Amino acid sequence: MPKNFKYRVTLDALTDKNGEPCNDSVAVEFENHDDIFHILRMMEESPLLPDKEQTKQFIIGLKLVGKVVMDNRDNELFSDFAGAFRDLMVKIKS
């Protein structure tokens, strides 16, 4: 029985920096212990930021980054970031 939720995030480029249409796309699959859709539904009722779309962007990005940081906490790349990230998560959850 799986211990984590499995997700796929797809990023589609709609336009380039000049507003010209483009069709680049990338998809990434990942697992997370949280029900991210449940979190997003909760944030609809009580968003972290004034802009609800930015709240969704923030939550999705945070869950993607958080999983990588947790899985690689011993990596020197995250040594300065890990404490601040942990503090941010505590603040959000309170």
Side-chain angles (χ1 to χ4, degrees):
M1 180 181 236
K3 295 179 183 176
N4 292 316
F5 293 88
K6 291 185 179 185
Y7 297 100
R8 178 184 306 118
V9 172
T10 303
L11 180 67
D12 297 318
L14 303 177
T15 65
D16 65 16
K17 65 181 179 179
N18 299 317
E20 297 295 322
C22 57
N23 60 1
D24 289 335
S25 183
V26 64
V28 60
E29 293 185 8
F30 67 102
E31 294 185 11
N32 196 283
H33 63 277
D34 285 325
D35 181 344
I36 297 173
F37 286 99
H38 175 71
I39 295 169
L40 290 169
R41 284 189 294 273
M42 287 184 350
M43 292 298 107
E44 279 289 315
E45 312 233 343
S46 180
L48 294 171
L49 304 167
D51 184 310
K52 287 185 178 184
E53 287 302 305
Q54 284 188 340
T55 296
K56 288 182 208 174
Q57 294 168 21
F58 178 72
I59 295 299
I60 293 167
L62 187 65
K63 297 312 294 178
L64 285 167
V65 169
K67 178 74 168 116
V68 172
V69 170
M70 285 174 47
D71 288 351
N72 296 280
R73 67 183 66 141
D74 295 331
N75 187 313
E76 181 66 24
L77 179 65
F78 300 119
S79 62
D80 294 335
F81 179 69
F85 183 79
R86 188 173 32 258
D87 293 345
L88 175 63
M89 292 305 295
V90 168
K91 188 173 191 175
I92 290 171
K93 290 180 179 184
S94 65

